[in-house]
Amino acid sequence: MTGIVEIAVGWLAAWATRKVRRVAGRADAEFDYATDTAMDHLREVIGRKLGKDRALAKVDEEVEAGAEELTPGTRQWLQLALQDAIDNDPEFAKLLQEAVGRLQAEETPGNAGGTTLSGNTFSGPTAIQTGAHGTQTNTFR
């Protein structure tokens, strides 16, 4: 289940980037509604579990400050908080897995997004392609 944490953090970072761009009026008009809804659902699942956890508060602070990427420290902090939550709450682990699975299902070839996010570990800069080829790439460090 360890790989799910990195994937969830990657999607949450994409959610944060999308939110910043939407607030700034630069939202990608091509972004698939189902993926957008699934990203919001993932944020809600994480938010319900972590609540006032400082790691999630830091994500929100960075979004509100207009950061287009989460800082490496915030990403790591969030990964640790999620891993702890998964290790101590099997029901949350199941909900997180389902939320990530929903996003992955929306992004499989044949769906509007056409992008697959998978793997166990992201090491170094990571890019997520959303929308049609060449329309939007989010790079996370």
Side-chain angles (χ1 to χ4, degrees):
M1 177 86 52
T2 302
I4 196 73
V5 170
E6 289 85 2
I7 294 170
V9 170
W11 278 113
L12 190 62
W15 170 87
T17 299
R18 178 189 53 82
K19 185 171 181 175
V20 167
R21 289 186 177 167
R22 182 173 289 152
V23 169
R26 299 185 320 241
D28 182 3
E30 297 292 319
F31 200 82
D32 181 58
Y33 176 77
T35 301
D36 194 36
T37 302
M39 288 173 76
D40 287 340
H41 175 69
L42 175 69
R43 173 57 175 84
E44 290 170 14
V45 166
I46 292 171
R48 280 193 306 266
K49 179 60 183 174
L50 297 185
K52 302 261 186 210
D53 186 286
R54 186 69 186 119
L56 193 56
K58 188 70 174 152
V59 170
D60 292 340
E61 287 172 14
E62 290 181 17
V63 168
E64 289 172 15
E68 294 216 13
E69 295 181 13
L70 297 179
T71 63
T74 298
R75 289 178 64 88
Q76 184 176 20
W77 197 351
L78 186 59
Q79 286 175 350
L80 293 171
L82 284 174
Q83 188 63 55
D84 182 62
I86 287 170
D87 291 346
N88 293 298
D89 185 347
E91 183 61 29
F92 171 70
K94 180 181 173 188
L95 291 172
L96 186 64
Q97 179 72 45
E98 289 170 357
V100 168
R102 180 176 167 189
L103 276 161
Q104 290 174 320
E106 289 301 327
E107 291 297 302
T108 56
N111 285 340
T115 303
T116 301
L117 177 64
S118 63
N120 292 332
T121 305
F122 296 105
S123 178
T126 302
I128 299 173
Q129 173 77 35
T130 59
H133 179 69
T135 60
Q136 179 178 343
T137 299
N138 296 320
T139 302
F140 306 102
R141 293 183 169 83

